[in-house]
Amino acid sequence: MKKILAVLICALLVVASMGAMAEGQRVGVSMPTKDLQRWNQDGDNMKANLEAAGYTVDLQYASNDVQTQLSQIENMISEGAEVLVIAAIEGSSLGEALSMAKEYEIPVIAYDRLLMESDAVSYYATFDNYKVGTVQGTYIKDALDLDNAEGPFNLEITAGDPGDNNARYFYQGAIDVLNPYIESGKLNIVSGQKEFNDVATPTWQTKVAQDRAENILSSYYADGTNVDVWLCSNDSTALGVENALAANYTGTYPIITGQDCDIENTKNMIAGKQSMSVFKDTRTLAEQVVKMVGQILNGETVDVNDTTTYDNNVIVVPSYLCDPVFADANNYKEILIDSGYYTEDQLQ
Ligand code: BGC
């Protein structure tokens, strides 16, 4: 009798442990574009971590085209995805696909960018977007010693994509730090372009940021006026500003901020052409999301650390915010190379 019981318990344990394993459950991962370095890394990390955990991964990139992203997600659903992880091109444009996910009871994790205007979003995993902006603003404040220096300093601003909910958080975080100095006149926006809509960069494209920066330089700085600082929300836009400066500017090189530690920008940091970036380790985010996928599929409590901030205009989405890290030419070796994110060769 004892033997039979032992065998039964063993069998039960095996079945229970199989239940905890992924067993090839299908996860759909929808990424916005291959054009920007970070999304390739995000996609690769997600796929590798999910596969290592035993899931089958359907990873798709949508070439920054909303219709493509919509139909890719709909396909993922028809192919039997049990969880969807989505980094939206435009946060508000995936309504149809999200309604379909809801109808099929497929949980959705918004990856890095919040999915807006929908109650079908189960969780949001990102970096603390407002903090990214405050890190950039604080860097400028300290670098110019705004509390003590006389100034005034000339400032220009390049922000992100209006269709990406993150972009306003980055902008606002930085502006909240800089506003007192803008209002007192210590920071002077020579172009007069300050409001988010005037400084935004649709689709975050380098070329779009470059064209606008060239315009500003030729309209306001061609007479030899120096631009002392250029607040850029991320690296792709910073690169546009750096390209414009290289071709159209002979004054003292400005302080330039960024975000992501893309390879080109890290090289520019080392060469003194970009002052700082904000490092968002895509490995950390991918790990967190894989953990959340597992928790969802195993019916466990899902790890979140913010339940108040991210209102998508329909619901407040329970979120997990990872910590962004300040990076510059002094610490890049430690945070980017020693951590194995890049090799020395990649930054040559
Ligand atoms: C991400 C940034 C990225 C930007 C452009 C944002 O949603 O949070 O890391 O630089 O999109 O791709």
Side-chain angles (χ1 to χ4, degrees):
M1 183 61 185
K2 265 193 186 158
K3 209 169 171 188
I4 296 175
L5 252 180
V7 171
L8 255 175
I9 288 171
C10 268
L12 274 174
L13 282 174
V14 170
V15 171
S17 73
M18 276 176 63
M21 275 170 43
E23 287 182 83
Q25 284 163 301
R26 224 177 150 82
V27 180
V29 179
S30 169
M31 289 283 145
T33 173
K34 275 188 164 274
D35 289 352
L36 249 78
Q37 186 194 318
R38 74 152 293 182
W39 303 113
N40 292 282
Q41 281 166 339
D42 285 280
D44 289 350
N45 287 333
M46 285 293 301
K47 188 166 159 49
N49 287 4
L50 284 167
E51 285 177 351
Y55 299 103
T56 301
V57 181
D58 185 358
L59 168 65
Q60 305 283 340
Y61 288 86
S63 310
N64 256 341
D65 181 66
V66 173
Q67 278 311 317
T68 305
Q69 189 164 39
L70 260 174
S71 59
Q72 285 177 340
I73 296 170
E74 285 169 0
N75 274 336
M76 288 173 189
I77 296 173
S78 334
E79 305 268 313
E82 293 185 43
V83 176
L84 291 167
V85 178
I86 303 173
I89 295 163
E90 220 180 82
S92 310
S93 304
L94 296 176
E96 277 168 49
L98 295 176
S99 304
M100 187 170 165
K102 192 174 177 194
E103 198 182 311
Y104 287 81
E105 296 181 2
I106 302 168
V108 174
I109 301 178
Y111 184 94
D112 196 74
R113 296 174 170 172
L114 187 56
L115 293 157
M116 305 298 291
E117 320 287 346
S118 166
D119 65 355
V121 192
S122 322
Y123 298 98
Y124 179 36
T126 188
F127 285 86
D128 186 334
N129 295 305
Y130 183 82
K131 187 168 173 191
V132 169
T134 63
V135 170
Q136 294 168 335
T138 306
Y139 177 81
I140 291 172
K141 175 179 163 219
D142 293 345
L144 293 175
D145 193 14
L146 288 176
D147 282 333
N148 301 304
E150 227 171 84
F153 300 102
N154 293 334
L155 162 75
E156 295 299 336
I157 304 170
T158 295
D161 182 356
D164 175 357
N165 188 56
N166 290 353
R168 285 172 203 273
Y169 280 92
F170 302 145
Y171 168 85
Q172 204 55 51
I175 289 295
D176 284 350
V177 177
L178 299 178
N179 226 1
Y181 308 100
I182 296 173
E183 299 211 318
S184 74
K186 206 173 262 190
L187 286 174
N188 171 34
I189 305 176
V190 179
S191 70
Q193 296 170 22
K194 178 189 175 201
E195 296 313 311
F196 178 80
N197 285 331
D198 298 329
V199 300
T201 309
T203 67
W204 292 99
Q205 268 183 57
T206 298
K207 182 70 174 69
V208 176
Q210 181 170 340
D211 289 349
R212 180 171 162 264
E214 278 171 2
N215 243 314
I216 289 178
L217 290 172
S218 63
S219 309
Y220 303 99
Y221 294 89
D223 61 357
T225 306
N226 273 332
V227 54
D228 300 302
V229 50
W230 207 306
L231 167 69
C232 296
S233 283
N234 84 331
D235 278 357
S236 63
T237 54
L239 200 58
V241 169
E242 286 151 27
N243 293 343
L245 287 165
N248 303 277
Y249 180 72
T250 49
T252 310
Y253 202 83
I255 289 166
I256 301 179
T257 63
Q259 162 183 203
D260 292 334
C261 290
D262 283 350
I263 289 180
E264 279 316 301
N265 298 74
T266 307
K267 286 183 183 171
N268 278 356
M269 274 198 315
I270 298 166
K273 293 184 196 154
Q274 180 170 321
S275 316
M276 59 84 75
S277 191
V278 179
F279 180 48
K280 304 197 304 188
D281 194 332
T282 51
R283 295 170 300 188
T284 312
L285 186 57
E287 249 172 55
Q288 179 58 32
V289 173
V290 172
K291 190 166 158 199
M292 290 162 92
V293 167
Q295 289 166 333
I296 291 173
L297 290 173
N298 294 329
E300 294 163 8
T301 307
V302 176
D303 221 7
V304 292
N305 60 12
D306 183 314
T307 51
T308 54
T309 308
Y310 288 99
D311 185 339
N312 78 354
N313 296 336
V314 180
I315 51 169
V316 177
V317 184
S319 306
Y320 190 95
L321 310 186
C322 304
D323 221 19
V325 172
F326 169 82
D328 69 358
N330 296 317
N331 72 357
Y332 82 91
K333 278 201 175 138
E334 191 188 322
I335 63 169
L336 298 176
I337 295 177
D338 296 352
S339 77
Y341 199 74
Y342 294 139
T343 60
E344 294 256 18
D345 284 356
Q346 286 176 290
L347 300 179
Q348 299 290 302

